[in-house]
Amino acid sequence: MPAGPALEKLVRTWQAGLGRARGRAASLSLLAVVLCAAHVARVGTGPARAAAAASIAIVLGVLCVSWWRERRRFADTRRLLRTVLRRTDRDLCDRSLRAFNLVERTARDQTLGSSSLAQLHFERVLARAQPGLVAAAAARHARTWRRLALGFALCGLLAVAVGPRRLFEGLDVLVARRGVAPVPLRWLDHARISSQAPHYLRQGESALYQGFANQQPSGSVLSVRGMPRHAERQLVLSDGEREVPFVSDGAGGVVARWTLKDTARLRVAARFGDVLIPEPDTLQVSAALDRAPRIELEGAPRTLQLKDVERIELRFVARDDHGLSQVDLVLRSGNREERRVLAKLNDEGSVYRGGHALDVRDPFLRRVFLPVVVSIEARDNDAVDGPKWGKSATFSLMPPALGEPEATRYATLERALQAVLGLLSAQLGPLPEKDAKQRAAARKLVREQRARTLESVRTALSAGTGLPLPSGLRAFVAGQVRLLERPRPAVPAVRNTEEVLLAMDAALRGLAVRDARSVAKRLAEVADEAADGAKQARETERQEAGVQRLDAAVLALGASAAQLLQLGALGHDLGNVARADLGRVKRARERGDLLHAELAARHMAERLRRPNPSFGARGTSHAGGVEAGAGGGSAPSDEASQADQRFNQLASELEELASEHAGGVGQVEKALEEAERAADLAGLRDEAKERADAIRRAANGLPQLGAEPGSAQGSAALGREHAASMAQGLEQLDLAAAVERGRDSLAALNAAESAGASAMDWVDRDAVRAAKGVLQEQLAWAERQLNAARQSAAARARDTLNQASGQEQELARRAGNLAGRGEGEAALPEEALRNLEHAERSMQEAARELQSGNGERGLELQREAQRLLEEASSGRTDRDEQEPSGEQQRGQRDVGGDLGRDGDVPDKANSEDAEAFRRRVLEGLAKGKDGRLSPAIKRYAEGLLR
């Protein structure tokens, strides 16, 4: 129903009196709630932010509802009348409501009366309202809203007074998304960013700048320093995933240190609970990772056949972007791996050039049957992520089949045996009795065949035929060569050749038996490798690797079994056994039946570990009659030749003789030492000390060490050193050492005096002569005292020396007997015979010296005889040299690889090295003398100095 003029006037009067007080109160209430909610939201936790947002939402909702209700109130006449008139005139308000009801009824029902009259009546009733009273009521209502607005304004002012920036921070936190506020703020003044590379890189500190691309080594520590703009803010350095708090730097500022692991975008931020407010600037830093070393191996990759090379030269260059700490030689074969340190570096060099020679007789290479992969690996000095290894390209070494060296050696010896057989055939040929030219041609043919035979046998003795002969067998064959070269006068040439042929045949068959057993046992290891590969492929997830192991081992088994077949009768037997079992393994492998392939390989390994003939008695084999039991491969007693057995018996007796003689030498040494210790030299102590002081005073005028060895100054300095050693020996009453050093000192001073003087090599000859005079006097005294002490010691040990003389004479007789037997069928090599004869003479002379009481001379001759006996002893034919054990192999290596065996005495031209070498030798000689070989070692070392 349209409002009349009186109602509109009434509304205008009310609104004019109320004014804007209600709207201001609503606005101020919303502002106050927002400001207070900002303080709550600044806490940053989820509940705080939720409470702040909820409070703002509630107030805003209340205001919206109030606005909606107010609009409905002014749209509804009854509510409007109650709101405006009830506050001024309640009776007029009731009459107005009744008049308005009448207007509504007449509008709905015309029978109740005229709607125009009803509307006119309603207007007249409203016209009675007094505008002044309405305006006064509206003013009173406006004052209430103004008071509320003032209260809200005071609350807002209080929130602002607490901290204007806190309000902005709180609002920023309130509208944050995913833990990051949308509006960045500045938190640090005078920010400085620096980077310190890891310590192992040995780099200084560098500055970084925001807004630019920065690159630093991985592991660098980034330091962000600055002055905080606002106190009590929890500042952090963050990349969005992890953060580092700022701490006080002790100078009023703050600092945060960030360890760079990967490329990062860093921002300074303030943390408010779960929310970060970052700074607008970003620091972009990319991490330069420490790469693994790179190794260039000259000639790699390459594949070599071990049988075609003697040494593998490995030359390499290792490079790293920062520093190297270690370089290793790595040998891999199947599942076996061995690492050898070639160089330990100081982490400073980034390039290392080196080389290494790998000998084919290396213990690792001698025991492999699968291809060997050789590589050079280098480790860097990365202390951040841990050291990394770099690997070079590889050399692939293809080893010969197991038994191939033995088969080659056997074939070479067999050819030598055939050559001896050819010589015998030539000797057995008929000689024409009447035609002198034909007789001469026949003899020439025999001589030529003998020369070819000797050449063939010597080739078999050389080490270049695949595998060197054991020392005992080498000596035996060398003895047979001696018989071929110089037959025994009492034995016909044909018979001599027959005996040599039979002796070498017996030795060859014994060697074949031992080699067949050795190869069979090593072949058992290959069968175990095949079985392990089948088991790995069957039971583990590494099926492909297991099948590769199986196939590689099967290939090695086939090649090795073919070589085993060539090693005589026993080798032929065991080779056929291996080939039969290998066929079972292959058939199971082709069917994919890995279980039965493993079982067949296990059966082969167990059979080859018992390398006995398949048929016949345990003691002999059906093929060749060689012994197959545990005896070691000697021919049985019914062999056509017993030469090897006689040789072995002779070798055993020679070893026993050397052992007994060594015991006799030890008894004489002990007797003389005890007699010398029993001598009372205490009375000479004071006089010896005075003479030692005299020697030192005389030697003070001689030059110090440092001149070139061999020069006048160098010889004089050496004489001074020996003189000091002599003085020390006198003080300790070690007369033997004092005499020895005194003689050395005089020899050095004589050399200095006769070397001649030049402008560049000058020596004080008067000082040398004075020192020589003192040394000669003191040396003569020391020799007299030493001779007296030795005569006294010999007298005390006379009974023991007499007994030792008899024993030495008996041993000399046995040595002569062995030498005589060594010229017969059990022939010894020429050198061994010569050593035995010299040893016999030295022993006889030592016996005479011991009998006469000259213990020192007799002991010296005994030692010489012992050396000759040991050189004459070469071992038995049925005994092979054993490879060094693992402990011995490790003992032969130092930290840099294999221990060098080719050291040389420094040349005189290299004065520094020669001087250092001489010092080391002198220091070693100055140490106490212990052990049977100590005098010989000292003499050898002194010989190096001359």
Side-chain angles (χ1 to χ4, degrees):
M1 177 180 295
L7 183 60
E8 292 178 356
K9 180 181 179 181
L10 184 64
V11 170
R12 286 195 301 270
T13 303
W14 175 262
Q15 289 178 345
L18 187 62
R20 298 182 178 180
R22 184 184 182 94
R24 291 193 182 96
S27 300
L28 290 174
S29 65
L30 181 60
L31 178 61
V33 169
V34 169
L35 295 178
C36 293
H39 283 283
V40 176
R42 189 178 178 276
V43 177
T45 61
R49 294 177 61 205
S55 62
I56 294 175
I58 290 173
V59 171
L60 189 59
V62 170
L63 293 178
C64 290
V65 171
S66 299
W67 175 80
W68 178 74
R69 292 182 62 187
E70 186 70 15
R71 290 199 55 170
R72 289 196 60 186
R73 179 181 297 115
F74 281 92
D76 189 350
T77 304
R78 289 188 179 85
R79 291 183 179 181
L80 179 61
L81 294 174
R82 293 192 187 99
T83 300
V84 176
L85 296 179
R86 192 175 294 276
R87 298 174 184 273
T88 58
D89 190 347
R90 184 178 296 272
D91 182 58
L92 181 61
C93 178
D94 294 339
R95 289 200 303 271
S96 298
L97 289 174
R98 288 194 296 270
F100 183 72
N101 290 335
L102 180 60
V103 171
E104 288 181 334
R105 287 198 303 271
T106 56
R108 289 193 301 267
D109 189 1
Q110 295 294 331
T111 60
L112 296 178
S114 172
S115 58
S116 300
L117 293 175
Q119 180 67 31
L120 181 60
H121 175 68
F122 177 67
E123 290 290 336
R124 289 178 177 176
V125 172
L126 287 180
R128 296 176 183 176
Q130 300 179 8
L133 294 178
V134 172
R140 290 194 300 271
H141 193 57
R143 283 195 296 270
T144 301
W145 283 112
R146 291 191 186 96
R147 294 190 187 96
L148 289 175
L150 180 61
F152 290 131
L154 292 176
C155 290
L157 290 175
L158 181 61
V160 173
V162 171
R165 186 175 180 86
R166 295 171 65 92
L167 294 176
F168 191 80
E169 294 169 352
L171 293 175
D172 208 5
V173 171
L174 181 61
V175 296
R177 293 187 61 190
R178 298 177 181 176
V180 180
V183 181
L185 299 176
R186 184 72 64 180
W187 302 107
L188 288 181
D189 287 332
H190 311 295
R192 291 177 291 109
I193 306 172
S194 62
S195 173
Q196 177 61 58
H199 176 70
Y200 75 97
L201 299 182
R202 296 175 177 85
Q203 297 179 3
E205 192 175 62
S206 58
L208 304 180
Y209 301 96
Q210 294 178 342
F212 294 90
N214 301 281
Q215 186 178 39
Q216 293 295 314
S218 178
S220 299
V221 178
L222 309 181
S223 299
V224 180
R225 296 177 176 86
M227 303 297 295
R229 284 191 171 188
H230 310 284
E232 299 180 358
R233 265 66 168 180
Q234 183 183 354
L235 300 183
V236 296
L237 185 64
S238 174
D239 65 347
E241 295 182 358
R242 62 189 183 100
E243 59 189 40
V244 174
F246 279 83
V247 296
S248 173
D249 62 358
V254 292
V255 60
R257 293 180 172 85
W258 181 279
T259 301
L260 185 64
K261 297 294 185 181
D262 201 353
T263 300
R265 295 173 58 89
L266 303 179
R267 302 178 76 177
V268 178
R271 174 160 289 284
F272 298 93
D274 301 331
V275 179
L276 288 178
I277 302 180
E279 279 196 346
D281 297 330
T282 301
L283 176 65
Q284 177 78 27
V285 185
S286 58
L289 300 179
D290 190 349
R291 296 178 296 174
R294 302 171 302 282
I295 302 98
E296 299 175 4
L297 180 58
E298 183 178 327
R302 187 179 177 188
T303 300
L304 299 173
Q305 297 291 333
L306 277 179
K307 63 181 180 181
D308 297 335
V309 295
E310 285 292 327
R311 290 161 63 90
I312 298 99
E313 300 289 341
L314 304 173
R315 297 182 179 88
F316 60 89
V317 179
R319 293 184 175 89
D320 188 62
D321 45 4
H322 297 302
L324 297 167
S325 63
Q326 183 173 323
V327 180
D328 286 1
L329 169 67
V330 183
L331 306 176
R332 294 185 178 90
S333 177
N335 283 352
R336 294 180 57 196
E337 178 180 308
E338 182 174 313
R339 306 183 72 93
R340 301 175 185 176
V341 179
L342 298 182
K344 281 189 173 294
L345 307 175
N346 56 5
D347 298 342
E348 294 183 359
S350 58
V351 179
Y352 178 79
R353 300 177 182 271
H356 183 81
L358 186 63
D359 197 283
V360 294
R361 288 176 291 276
D362 186 276
F364 184 90
L365 299 181
R366 291 178 61 182
R367 302 296 298 177
V368 298
F369 52 86
L370 296 178
V372 180
V373 178
V374 181
S375 63
I376 303 296
E377 296 188 8
R379 184 178 67 185
D380 65 7
N381 59 350
D382 189 353
V384 178
D385 299 324
K388 293 183 289 295
W389 286 91
K391 181 180 177 182
S392 70
T394 62
F395 277 88
S396 297
L397 307 182
M398 309 305 293
L402 286 181
E404 183 175 348
E406 289 83 354
T408 302
R409 180 174 66 181
Y410 181 82
T412 305
L413 288 172
E414 198 169 31
R415 286 193 296 271
L417 189 64
Q418 293 297 324
V420 177
L421 183 60
L423 175 60
L424 180 59
S425 177
Q427 290 175 340
L428 290 175
L431 289 175
E433 296 181 358
K434 297 181 179 180
D435 193 341
K437 291 185 178 180
Q438 292 182 358
R439 289 173 61 87
R443 291 192 181 96
K444 181 180 179 182
L445 179 63
V446 171
R447 288 195 301 271
E448 292 176 352
Q449 183 62 36
R450 185 188 303 276
R452 288 193 295 269
T453 300
L454 291 174
E455 182 181 359
S456 178
V457 177
R458 289 193 181 101
T459 301
L461 286 176
S462 66
T465 58
L467 192 66
L469 290 174
S471 59
L473 184 59
R474 183 194 302 272
F476 176 77
V477 176
Q480 301 303 316
V481 171
R482 183 177 61 81
L483 292 181
L484 287 177
E485 288 180 322
R486 295 190 299 276
R488 290 166 290 176
V491 179
V494 174
R495 181 182 174 187
N496 183 74
T497 305
E498 287 177 347
E499 291 179 354
V500 171
L501 177 63
L502 294 174
M504 290 184 62
D505 179 66
L508 178 60
R509 284 187 289 164
L511 177 64
V513 169
R514 292 192 302 276
D515 284 348
R517 287 176 174 167
S518 173
V519 172
K521 291 178 180 179
R522 289 158 56 194
L523 201 56
E525 299 177 6
V526 187
D528 283 334
E529 174 70 13
D532 292 340
K535 183 177 181 181
Q536 177 182 356
R538 184 171 54 86
E539 296 182 355
T540 68
E541 296 179 354
R542 302 180 58 192
Q543 182 177 3
E544 183 177 355
V547 170
Q548 290 178 356
R549 288 180 62 186
L550 172 61
D551 292 341
V554 166
L555 186 63
L557 282 170
S560 301
Q563 300 298 326
L564 185 58
L565 287 169
Q566 304 177 34
L567 293 176
L570 182 59
H572 193 271
D573 182 10
L574 296 175
N576 283 320
V577 170
R579 293 178 67 177
D581 285 339
L582 181 60
R584 295 171 55 198
V585 175
K586 288 182 177 179
R587 289 190 294 273
R589 166 71 178 91
E590 292 171 357
R591 296 193 306 269
D593 188 356
L594 297 178
L595 174 60
H596 284 87
E598 177 188 355
L599 295 177
R602 299 287 186 200
H603 179 271
M604 182 195 305
E606 292 301 322
R607 175 64 183 89
L608 292 175
R609 286 194 179 92
R610 294 180 290 102
N612 299 320
S614 300
F615 304 98
R618 176 170 176 76
T620 60
S621 76
H622 72 291
V626 294
E627 183 182 355
S634 300
S637 59
D638 59 351
E639 284 284 349
S641 174
Q642 306 295 325
D644 59 338
Q645 293 187 11
R646 295 191 184 97
F647 180 88
N648 290 336
Q649 183 178 359
L650 182 63
S652 299
E653 293 179 10
L654 183 55
E655 291 177 355
E656 184 180 356
L657 175 62
S659 177
E660 292 181 8
H661 188 265
V665 174
Q667 290 178 0
V668 174
E669 287 179 341
K670 182 178 180 182
L672 291 178
E673 289 176 359
E674 291 177 351
E676 289 179 2
R677 284 197 297 267
D680 187 9
L681 300 177
L684 301 176
R685 187 175 299 278
D686 294 338
E687 184 178 0
K689 188 176 185 307
E690 293 177 359
R691 293 179 180 274
D693 293 338
I695 292 173
R696 291 192 179 96
R697 288 193 298 271
N700 283 337
L702 299 176
Q704 298 281 352
L705 291 175
E708 180 181 357
S711 64
Q713 291 187 4
S715 299
L718 183 60
R720 175 174 180 159
E721 292 293 325
H722 285 309
S725 298
M726 179 183 179
Q728 183 180 2
L730 288 177
E731 285 184 340
Q732 297 175 354
L733 294 180
D734 188 354
L735 297 177
V739 169
E740 193 173 1
R741 298 283 79 75
R743 292 170 180 170
D744 293 339
S745 180
L746 282 177
L749 293 179
N750 289 330
E753 195 173 14
S754 62
S758 65
M760 300 300 295
D761 186 16
W762 180 86
V763 65
D764 190 349
R765 293 182 177 275
D766 295 336
V768 172
R769 292 192 187 96
K772 282 177 58 179
V774 175
L775 278 172
Q776 289 171 349
E777 177 185 356
Q778 306 308 330
L779 179 60
W781 179 85
E783 288 176 342
R784 291 195 300 272
Q785 300 302 323
L786 178 61
N787 291 333
R790 285 179 173 175
Q791 291 175 2
S792 176
R796 291 186 182 88
R798 180 170 296 278
D799 294 339
T800 304
L801 294 181
N802 289 335
Q803 182 180 0
S805 175
Q807 293 177 354
E808 193 73 10
Q809 190 66 38
E810 174 62 22
L811 294 176
R813 184 192 62 78
R814 290 171 56 185
N817 183 24
L818 292 177
R821 292 165 56 189
E823 294 181 351
E825 185 180 4
L828 289 174
E830 185 69 29
E831 184 179 0
L833 280 176
R834 187 168 54 250
N835 289 333
L836 264 179
E837 293 170 355
H838 292 169
E840 178 190 6
R841 290 194 293 270
S842 297
M843 293 161 71
Q844 290 174 350
E845 188 177 351
R848 289 192 294 270
E849 294 290 341
L850 294 174
Q851 181 68 31
S852 63
N854 192 354
E856 289 295 329
R857 176 58 181 166
L859 180 59
E860 184 177 351
L861 290 170
Q862 278 187 308
R863 289 168 175 165
E864 177 65 17
Q866 180 64 30
R867 181 185 65 81
L868 293 170
L869 287 176
E870 291 175 352
E871 290 181 359
S873 179
S874 57
R876 298 167 55 96
T877 63
D878 56 357
R879 185 183 305 161
D880 293 338
E881 288 86 354
Q882 298 295 324
E883 293 185 358
S885 64
E887 292 296 331
Q888 292 171 338
Q889 293 175 16
R890 286 189 292 272
Q892 292 173 356
R893 300 193 190 102
D894 58 7
V895 295
D898 292 343
L899 183 65
R901 297 177 177 85
D902 55 352
D904 296 325
V905 178
D907 190 79
K908 291 183 179 181
N910 193 342
S911 58
E912 295 183 0
D913 293 345
E915 184 66 25
F917 175 76
R918 190 182 64 78
R919 283 181 177 275
R920 292 197 300 272
V921 173
L922 287 177
E923 291 174 359
L925 294 177
K927 297 180 180 178
K929 56 175 185 178
D930 296 321
R932 178 168 56 85
L933 298 179
S934 180
I937 294 173
K938 286 189 175 182
R939 286 194 297 274
Y940 170 74
E942 292 166 1
L944 295 177
L945 295 176
R946 296 190 180 97

